[in-house]
Short mmCIF file of all heavy atoms in Angstrom, two decimals:
data_model
loop_
_atom_site.label_atom_id
_atom_site.label_comp_id
_atom_site.label_asym_id
_atom_site.label_seq_id
_atom_site.Cartn_x
_atom_site.Cartn_y
_atom_site.Cartn_z
N ILE O 8 0.87 -1.17 0.00
CA ILE O 8 0.00 0.00 0.00
C ILE O 8 0.91 1.22 0.00
O ILE O 8 1.71 1.39 0.92
CB ILE O 8 -0.89 0.01 1.26
CG1 ILE O 8 -1.70 -1.29 1.35
CG2 ILE O 8 -1.79 1.23 1.27
CD1 ILE O 8 -2.28 -1.54 2.72
N PRO O 9 0.82 2.10 -1.04
CA PRO O 9 1.71 3.27 -1.06
C PRO O 9 1.35 4.26 0.04
O PRO O 9 0.18 4.45 0.36
CB PRO O 9 1.50 3.87 -2.45
CG PRO O 9 0.26 3.24 -2.99
CD PRO O 9 -0.01 2.00 -2.21
N ASN O 10 2.36 4.89 0.63
CA ASN O 10 2.17 5.93 1.64
C ASN O 10 2.24 7.28 0.97
O ASN O 10 2.89 7.46 -0.05
CB ASN O 10 3.27 5.87 2.70
CG ASN O 10 3.16 4.66 3.58
OD1 ASN O 10 2.13 4.00 3.60
ND2 ASN O 10 4.23 4.36 4.29
N LYS O 11 1.61 8.27 1.62
CA LYS O 11 1.78 9.64 1.17
C LYS O 11 3.07 10.13 1.79
O LYS O 11 3.14 10.40 2.97
CB LYS O 11 0.60 10.48 1.61
CG LYS O 11 -0.66 10.11 0.89
CD LYS O 11 -1.78 11.05 1.26
CE LYS O 11 -2.94 10.76 0.36
NZ LYS O 11 -4.13 10.35 1.01
N LYS O 12 4.10 10.23 0.97
CA LYS O 12 5.43 10.57 1.50
C LYS O 12 5.57 12.08 1.65
O LYS O 12 5.24 12.84 0.77
CB LYS O 12 6.51 10.05 0.57
CG LYS O 12 7.89 10.31 1.11
CD LYS O 12 8.93 9.63 0.28
CE LYS O 12 10.26 10.17 0.68
NZ LYS O 12 11.19 9.31 1.16
N ILE O 13 6.09 12.48 2.79
CA ILE O 13 6.41 13.88 3.04
C ILE O 13 7.91 14.02 2.85
O ILE O 13 8.69 13.29 3.44
CB ILE O 13 5.99 14.29 4.46
CG1 ILE O 13 4.48 14.13 4.61
CG2 ILE O 13 6.44 15.69 4.77
CD1 ILE O 13 4.00 14.23 6.03
N GLU O 14 8.32 14.91 1.99
CA GLU O 14 9.73 15.11 1.70
C GLU O 14 10.47 15.56 2.94
O GLU O 14 10.11 16.54 3.56
CB GLU O 14 9.86 16.19 0.64
CG GLU O 14 10.56 15.91 -0.67
CD GLU O 14 11.19 14.58 -0.93
OE1 GLU O 14 10.54 13.71 -1.46
OE2 GLU O 14 12.38 14.44 -0.62
N ASP O 15 11.49 14.83 3.30
CA ASP O 15 12.30 15.15 4.46
C ASP O 15 13.66 15.64 3.97
O ASP O 15 14.40 14.88 3.35
CB ASP O 15 12.46 13.90 5.34
CG ASP O 15 13.20 14.19 6.62
OD1 ASP O 15 13.46 15.38 6.91
OD2 ASP O 15 13.51 13.24 7.35
N PRO O 16 14.02 16.90 4.21
CA PRO O 16 15.27 17.42 3.68
C PRO O 16 16.50 16.80 4.34
O PRO O 16 17.60 16.93 3.82
CB PRO O 16 15.20 18.92 3.98
CG PRO O 16 14.24 19.05 5.11
CD PRO O 16 13.27 17.91 4.96
N VAL O 17 16.33 16.10 5.45
CA VAL O 17 17.48 15.53 6.15
C VAL O 17 17.65 14.04 5.84
O VAL O 17 18.63 13.44 6.20
CB VAL O 17 17.32 15.74 7.67
CG1 VAL O 17 18.59 15.40 8.41
CG2 VAL O 17 16.92 17.16 7.98
N ALA O 18 16.68 13.44 5.16
CA ALA O 18 16.76 12.01 4.88
C ALA O 18 17.96 11.70 4.01
O ALA O 18 18.51 12.57 3.35
CB ALA O 18 15.48 11.55 4.18
N GLY O 19 18.37 10.44 3.99
CA GLY O 19 19.57 10.04 3.26
C GLY O 19 19.38 10.03 1.77
O GLY O 19 19.09 9.01 1.18
N LYS O 20 19.53 11.14 1.16
CA LYS O 20 19.36 11.27 -0.29
C LYS O 20 20.71 11.15 -0.98
O LYS O 20 21.72 11.61 -0.48
CB LYS O 20 18.75 12.64 -0.65
CG LYS O 20 17.41 12.89 -0.02
CD LYS O 20 16.33 12.14 -0.75
CE LYS O 20 14.98 12.50 -0.19
NZ LYS O 20 14.16 11.40 0.11
N VAL O 21 20.70 10.54 -2.15
CA VAL O 21 21.89 10.47 -2.96
C VAL O 21 21.73 11.49 -4.07
O VAL O 21 20.77 11.44 -4.84
CB VAL O 21 22.06 9.05 -3.56
CG1 VAL O 21 23.25 9.00 -4.47
CG2 VAL O 21 22.19 8.04 -2.44
N ASN O 22 22.63 12.45 -4.16
CA ASN O 22 22.55 13.51 -5.16
C ASN O 22 23.69 13.36 -6.16
O ASN O 22 24.74 13.98 -6.02
CB ASN O 22 22.61 14.89 -4.49
CG ASN O 22 21.43 15.13 -3.59
OD1 ASN O 22 20.30 14.78 -3.95
ND2 ASN O 22 21.66 15.71 -2.42
N THR O 23 23.48 12.53 -7.14
CA THR O 23 24.46 12.40 -8.21
C THR O 23 23.80 12.77 -9.52
O THR O 23 22.57 12.68 -9.66
CB THR O 23 25.02 10.97 -8.30
OG1 THR O 23 23.94 10.09 -8.58
CG2 THR O 23 25.69 10.56 -7.01
N SER O 24 24.58 13.17 -10.50
CA SER O 24 24.01 13.61 -11.77
C SER O 24 23.29 12.49 -12.50
O SER O 24 22.34 12.72 -13.22
CB SER O 24 25.10 14.20 -12.65
OG SER O 24 26.07 13.22 -12.93
N SER O 25 23.72 11.24 -12.31
CA SER O 25 23.06 10.12 -12.99
C SER O 25 21.66 9.88 -12.46
O SER O 25 20.84 9.29 -13.13
CB SER O 25 23.91 8.86 -12.87
OG SER O 25 24.03 8.49 -11.51
N LEU O 26 21.39 10.32 -11.23
CA LEU O 26 20.07 10.11 -10.64
C LEU O 26 19.20 11.36 -10.66
O LEU O 26 18.07 11.33 -10.23
CB LEU O 26 20.22 9.64 -9.20
CG LEU O 26 20.94 8.32 -9.00
CD1 LEU O 26 21.14 8.05 -7.53
CD2 LEU O 26 20.19 7.19 -9.64
N ALA O 27 19.73 12.45 -11.20
CA ALA O 27 19.02 13.73 -11.14
C ALA O 27 17.74 13.73 -11.96
O ALA O 27 16.79 14.42 -11.63
CB ALA O 27 19.93 14.85 -11.60
N THR O 28 17.68 12.96 -13.04
CA THR O 28 16.51 13.00 -13.91
C THR O 28 15.60 11.79 -13.78
O THR O 28 14.61 11.69 -14.48
CB THR O 28 16.96 13.10 -15.38
OG1 THR O 28 17.76 11.96 -15.69
CG2 THR O 28 17.73 14.37 -15.63
N THR O 29 15.91 10.85 -12.91
CA THR O 29 15.08 9.65 -12.78
C THR O 29 13.77 9.97 -12.08
O THR O 29 13.72 10.76 -11.16
CB THR O 29 15.80 8.53 -12.01
OG1 THR O 29 16.10 9.01 -10.71
CG2 THR O 29 17.06 8.08 -12.71
N ARG O 30 12.72 9.31 -12.53
CA ARG O 30 11.40 9.50 -11.95
C ARG O 30 11.03 8.34 -11.02
O ARG O 30 10.05 8.37 -10.33
CB ARG O 30 10.34 9.60 -13.05
CG ARG O 30 10.54 10.78 -13.94
CD ARG O 30 9.59 11.88 -13.51
NE ARG O 30 9.60 12.97 -14.46
CZ ARG O 30 10.01 14.17 -14.18
NH1 ARG O 30 10.45 14.47 -13.00
NH2 ARG O 30 9.97 15.12 -15.09
N GLN O 31 11.83 7.29 -11.04
CA GLN O 31 11.49 6.12 -10.24
C GLN O 31 11.73 6.37 -8.76
O GLN O 31 12.45 7.27 -8.37
CB GLN O 31 12.30 4.91 -10.70
CG GLN O 31 13.78 5.04 -10.38
CD GLN O 31 14.57 3.86 -10.87
OE1 GLN O 31 14.05 3.05 -11.60
NE2 GLN O 31 15.81 3.77 -10.47
N ASN O 32 11.09 5.53 -7.96
CA ASN O 32 11.23 5.63 -6.52
C ASN O 32 12.63 5.14 -6.14
O ASN O 32 13.02 4.04 -6.47
CB ASN O 32 10.16 4.77 -5.85
CG ASN O 32 10.13 4.98 -4.36
OD1 ASN O 32 10.87 5.79 -3.82
ND2 ASN O 32 9.27 4.26 -3.71
N LEU O 33 13.39 5.96 -5.43
CA LEU O 33 14.77 5.61 -5.10
C LEU O 33 14.89 4.85 -3.79
O LEU O 33 15.98 4.47 -3.41
CB LEU O 33 15.62 6.88 -5.06
CG LEU O 33 15.71 7.65 -6.37
CD1 LEU O 33 16.55 8.90 -6.19
CD2 LEU O 33 16.26 6.79 -7.48
N SER O 34 13.79 4.66 -3.10
CA SER O 34 13.82 3.85 -1.88
C SER O 34 12.67 2.85 -1.94
O SER O 34 11.51 3.24 -1.92
CB SER O 34 13.72 4.72 -0.64
OG SER O 34 12.54 5.49 -0.68
N ALA O 35 13.02 1.59 -2.08
CA ALA O 35 12.00 0.54 -2.18
C ALA O 35 12.53 -0.74 -1.53
O ALA O 35 13.73 -0.96 -1.45
CB ALA O 35 11.66 0.28 -3.64
N PHE O 36 11.61 -1.55 -1.07
CA PHE O 36 11.95 -2.82 -0.42
C PHE O 36 11.26 -3.97 -1.13
O PHE O 36 10.17 -3.81 -1.67
CB PHE O 36 11.50 -2.81 1.04
CG PHE O 36 12.33 -1.95 1.94
CD1 PHE O 36 11.90 -0.69 2.33
CD2 PHE O 36 13.54 -2.39 2.43
CE1 PHE O 36 12.65 0.10 3.16
CE2 PHE O 36 14.31 -1.61 3.26
CZ PHE O 36 13.86 -0.36 3.64
N HIS O 37 11.90 -5.14 -1.10
CA HIS O 37 11.31 -6.39 -1.56
C HIS O 37 11.40 -7.40 -0.44
O HIS O 37 12.39 -7.44 0.29
CB HIS O 37 12.04 -6.94 -2.79
CG HIS O 37 11.73 -6.21 -4.05
ND1 HIS O 37 10.49 -6.22 -4.64
CD2 HIS O 37 12.52 -5.44 -4.84
CE1 HIS O 37 10.52 -5.49 -5.74
NE2 HIS O 37 11.74 -5.00 -5.87
N LEU O 38 10.37 -8.25 -0.32
CA LEU O 38 10.37 -9.33 0.65
C LEU O 38 10.74 -10.63 -0.05
O LEU O 38 10.17 -10.97 -1.09
CB LEU O 38 8.99 -9.47 1.29
CG LEU O 38 8.59 -8.36 2.24
CD1 LEU O 38 7.11 -8.44 2.57
CD2 LEU O 38 9.40 -8.46 3.51
N ILE O 39 11.69 -11.36 0.50
CA ILE O 39 12.11 -12.64 -0.06
C ILE O 39 12.01 -13.69 1.04
O ILE O 39 12.76 -13.61 2.01
CB ILE O 39 13.56 -12.58 -0.58
CG1 ILE O 39 13.69 -11.44 -1.61
CG2 ILE O 39 13.96 -13.90 -1.19
CD1 ILE O 39 15.11 -11.12 -1.97
N PRO O 40 11.12 -14.64 0.98
CA PRO O 40 10.03 -14.86 0.04
C PRO O 40 8.87 -13.90 0.31
O PRO O 40 8.78 -13.34 1.41
CB PRO O 40 9.61 -16.31 0.32
CG PRO O 40 9.92 -16.51 1.75
CD PRO O 40 11.16 -15.68 2.02
N PRO O 41 7.97 -13.70 -0.67
CA PRO O 41 6.89 -12.74 -0.50
C PRO O 41 5.77 -13.20 0.43
O PRO O 41 4.90 -12.42 0.79
CB PRO O 41 6.36 -12.54 -1.92
CG PRO O 41 6.77 -13.76 -2.65
CD PRO O 41 8.03 -14.25 -2.02
#
């Protein structure tokens, strides 16, 4: 279930030029096994 994320300016963000234009979610988890 997606959460309504509030942007946190102190969270661990990676600021590199290769990731500057991506639209995908940069923090995601997978369960193994589901």
Side-chain angles (χ1 to χ4, degrees):
I8 304 163
N10 290 345
K11 291 185 171 120
K12 183 172 167 121
I13 299 168
E14 238 357 91
D15 185 7
V17 191
K20 301 282 185 229
V21 177
N22 296 319
T23 61
S24 61
S25 62
L26 298 174
T28 60
T29 60
R30 297 260 188 244
Q31 69 182 10
N32 188 2
L33 298 179
S34 57
F36 287 101
H37 285 294
L38 289 167
I39 304 168

